Amino acid sequence: MEGKEEDVRVGANKFPERQPIGTSAQSDKDYKEPPPAPLFEPGELASWSFWRAGIAEFIATFLFLYITVLTVMGVKRSPNMCASVGIQGIAWAFGGMIFALVYCTAGISGGHINPAVTFGLFLARKLSLTRAVYYIVMQCLGAICGAGVVKGFQPKQYQALGGGANTIAHGYTKGSGLGAEIIGTFVLVYTVFSATDAKRNARDSHVPILAPLPIGFAVFLVHLATIPITGTGINPARSLGAAIIFNKDNAWDDHWVFWVGPFIGAALAALYHVIVIRAIPFKSRS
Amino acid sequence: MAKDVEGPDGFQTRDYEDPPPTPFFDAEELTKWSLYRAVIAEFVATLLFLYVTVLTVIGYKIQSDTKAGGVDCGGVGILGIAWAFGGMIFILVYCTAGISGGHINPAVTFGLFLARKVSLIRAVLYMVAQCLGAICGVGFVKAFQSSHYVNYGGGANFLADGYNTGTGLAAEIIGTFVLVYTVFSATDPKRNARDSHVPVLAPLPIGFAVFMVHLATIPITGTGINPARSFGAAVIFNKSKPWDDHWIFWVGPFIGATIAAFYHQFVLRASGSKSLGSFRSAANV
């Protein structure tokens, strides 16, 4: 019971105990909006669930990069597209892996696996600054290790085939790449907000197990749309991991697009969800 | 035990309740933020829908054009395009179901209007928002890659060579029937009661219905079954060929939605005869 209370307090447990039968009728709403997370919460540093959550983000991002970059390498190495899983297969690798990993880590860390998602949720006051920074650092480290393992398998081919790094394709401007990253990340983070919304969870009879599916689909769909433009970042850790391990000029030249774009997209999604869809500030006022 | 059981007082008790028909004009809803929020949600959802799907179409055509640097089997394939449409409907319906009902399609709005599930005001506002969102979504795609967009057909719907107008119209009618009929089934209060009220599962069959119709009719018309989608691409692409065939993508979907509404309301749910029955019993009393 102590452990559970601790988890509930630090917010690691996203699904608090349901109200006992009969008492829910006393409130006019069948859901409870969690209070805004404090900016700094020193107490959570002393809790194992905090450190465990960061480790979970590290492992998840590591596996994500390993599977996805290895899939990209397989397609690139193939003699022709027809002999490989193709671009659609790459999109499935990204989306499917996010689905599986969010499912596994949703109850541990919230299943972000993406600094842009962490940033968006931070702006919506869902987690503290300390936790947000910790998650982002662990995600970036996990991404570097994941891409590193792929390079370890075949160092020469990895370098010759582009290392799965994100760059803006020939024929597109930096503005187009930035725009694609902004809108792509908006789709993803907005889906995350919808999937984790307290109001929707109540009306969906508290079946949180289903939340990862639309999130995975969102990643898959954005990859289908923007792989021709940027190889699809929408995840700064993914872009950073590949850029560091590949370490060529062309990867670094455009790298800023893959941080600025996702963070702007996440901010827009947070604004849209909190201000327009949920109108939370106006409710607080009244 | 049967779902519909006779209560002690002689009245039937059901574990579900059909909502009453929505009035055509509901002046009160104009004063609520939830209406405008729903319209905004429909606009944003349709914008994102067109942006991702048309971008996927153009991207595929670029990467598979062997005369301009593309390769055989390049791009995500026609299957990937179908996934883009179906998958996008799935996540957008999922995100906006609790806000606006997650229509994202004037044909769906029209079908639900015929079934008295949305008011006339709401239906018209939704359709306008959907069309504007579609135009903006395709506008983004063109802004990001203007020359590619124009060279590769702009993602616009038109009849493919070898098919006549009647065939295209029939494909749109039946395709939209599949979609709207799935929407009615997924949102049926009777089925929700028996599925233990887990509405989160509703978007999945709707998305799959869109996906499968696209698998079938992309070769014929590029698959409209969504007048806003066809309208947005036609406006931004603005060539004569898409406009010549454009009427098919409004008439077909609206006919399909009408047939689906009739089939579900009067054949499957038999609400008409139940209404008559209640009148008859009232007269007897």
Side-chain angles (χ1 to χ4, degrees):
Chain A
M1 187 54 67
E2 281 185 5
K4 172 173 286 191
E5 288 301 327
E6 180 183 85
D7 281 355
V8 171
R9 179 164 47 84
V10 302
N13 188 338
K14 297 168 65 67
F15 312 109
E17 205 73 60
R18 198 189 306 187
Q19 282 186 345
I21 295 173
T23 60
S24 60
Q26 296 172 11
S27 62
D28 54 348
K29 296 175 178 177
D30 62 343
Y31 66 94
K32 190 194 307 177
E33 195 70 47
L39 210 58
F40 296 100
E41 188 175 341
E44 67 181 351
L45 293 176
S47 154
W48 167 244
S49 66
F50 173 84
W51 301 106
R52 177 185 66 188
I55 293 170
E57 288 292 315
F58 173 92
I59 296 293
T61 315
F62 167 82
L63 296 175
F64 176 60
L65 264 287
Y66 168 77
I67 292 289
T68 54
V69 175
L70 201 55
T71 304
V72 172
M73 290 297 101
V75 172
K76 291 288 183 66
R77 194 184 63 234
S78 175
N80 59 67
M81 272 304 187
C82 307
S84 70
V85 298
I87 302 293
Q88 191 187 143
I90 292 174
W92 276 118
F94 279 91
M97 205 57 188
I98 287 289
F99 169 54
L101 293 170
V102 171
Y103 177 83
C104 293
T105 60
I108 310 294
S109 64
H112 300 181
I113 314 173
N114 185 333
V117 171
T118 303
F119 182 66
L121 291 171
F122 167 71
L123 291 181
R125 307 295 303 277
K126 305 264 184 214
L127 71 174
S128 67
L129 178 63
T130 310
R131 185 177 287 261
V133 171
Y134 177 46
Y135 278 15
I136 291 177
V137 170
M138 294 301 272
Q139 287 155 0
C140 292
L141 292 177
I144 295 168
C145 293
V149 170
V150 177
K151 179 171 181 176
F153 283 3
Q154 294 172 310
K156 289 194 173 71
Q157 291 202 40
Y158 180 86
Q159 293 298 120
L161 296 170
N166 288 123
T167 59
I168 297 177
H170 178 71
Y172 294 93
T173 65
K174 281 182 167 46
S176 297
L178 185 66
E181 290 295 308
I182 291 174
I183 301 182
T185 310
F186 179 93
V187 172
L188 167 57
V189 178
Y190 174 51
T191 305
V192 169
F193 274 114
S194 294
T196 58
D197 185 72
K199 191 173 185 179
R200 117 158 277 135
N201 283 342
R203 295 183 179 177
D204 287 348
S205 307
H206 301 284
V207 188
I209 196 171
L210 295 169
L213 186 59
I215 295 172
F217 254 97
V219 172
F220 165 63
L221 293 164
V222 175
H223 277 74
L224 288 180
T226 62
I227 280 180
I229 302 181
T230 60
T232 309
I234 70 172
N235 183 332
R238 173 254 180 285
S239 304
L240 178 70
I244 286 184
I245 301 298
F246 183 55
N247 201 25
K248 289 289 174 59
D249 281 353
N250 58 315
W252 287 117
D253 288 347
D254 300 328
H255 192 64
W256 65 270
V257 170
F258 301 104
W259 283 89
V260 175
F263 273 43
I264 293 177
L268 290 174
L271 277 178
Y272 176 64
H273 181 79
V274 172
I275 303 292
V276 176
I277 299 296
R278 296 300 315 281
I280 289 175
F282 308 101
K283 289 176 182 174
S284 303
R285 185 182 307 167
S286 63
Chain B
M1 180 178 289
K3 290 286 183 177
D4 299 343
V5 298
E6 203 77 23
D9 52 4
F11 291 100
Q12 286 193 346
T13 57
R14 295 172 177 162
D15 62 343
Y16 68 93
E17 186 180 327
D18 271 316
T22 304
F24 282 130
F25 298 100
D26 186 0
E28 186 185 350
E29 71 177 349
L30 285 173
T31 64
K32 293 179 176 175
W33 166 245
S34 65
L35 171 65
Y36 302 105
R37 177 183 65 190
V39 173
I40 292 172
E42 287 292 315
F43 172 87
V44 172
T46 313
L47 186 157
L48 297 177
F49 174 60
L50 265 289
Y51 167 79
V52 170
T53 53
V54 174
L55 202 58
T56 303
V57 171
I58 303 299
Y60 160 70
K61 293 191 174 178
I62 293 169
Q63 291 193 311
S64 61
D65 182 2
T66 53
K67 305 187 199 69
V71 296
D72 288 330
C73 302
V76 299
I78 302 290
L79 179 63
I81 292 173
W83 271 119
F85 280 92
M88 209 58 193
I89 288 290
F90 164 57
I91 68 168
L92 291 172
V93 171
Y94 178 85
C95 292
T96 62
I99 310 295
S100 65
H103 299 183
I104 314 172
N105 185 334
V108 171
T109 303
F110 184 66
L112 291 171
F113 167 70
L114 291 181
R116 305 292 302 278
K117 295 184 188 299
V118 293
S119 68
L120 179 63
I121 294 171
R122 188 177 284 258
V124 171
L125 285 177
Y126 276 18
M127 289 185 190
V128 171
Q130 288 154 0
C131 290
L132 292 177
I135 294 171
C136 292
V138 184
F140 272 120
V141 177
K142 182 170 183 180
F144 290 169
Q145 47 186 1
S146 181
S147 60
H148 287 322
Y149 177 83
V150 173
N151 290 338
Y152 291 109
N157 286 126
F158 52 87
L159 267 179
D161 295 338
Y163 294 97
N164 62 33
T165 302
T167 302
L169 188 63
E172 290 297 308
I173 292 174
I174 301 178
T176 310
F177 176 88
V178 171
L179 166 58
V180 179
Y181 169 54
T182 305
V183 169
F184 275 115
S185 293
T187 58
D188 188 331
K190 188 173 187 179
R191 120 159 274 131
N192 283 342
R194 296 180 178 181
D195 287 349
S196 305
H197 299 282
V198 185
V200 70
L201 294 172
L204 198 53
I206 296 171
F208 264 94
V210 172
F211 169 58
M212 286 181 290
V213 173
H214 276 74
L215 292 181
T217 62
I218 279 181
I220 302 178
T221 59
T223 309
I225 71 172
N226 182 332
R229 173 257 180 283
S230 305
F231 182 70
V235 167
I236 300 295
F237 188 52
N238 203 24
K239 304 285 188 185
S240 59
K241 177 61 171 172
W243 283 122
D244 288 346
D245 301 328
H246 194 60
W247 66 271
I248 292 174
F249 301 105
W250 284 90
V251 175
F254 274 42
I255 292 177
T258 303
I259 298 173
F262 182 87
Y263 175 62
H264 184 263
Q265 292 295 103
F266 292 103
V267 179
L268 296 185
R269 295 299 313 279
S271 60
S273 58
K274 286 178 181 175
S275 300
L276 292 175
S278 66
F279 289 149
R280 191 178 306 115
S281 62
N284 292 342
V285 173

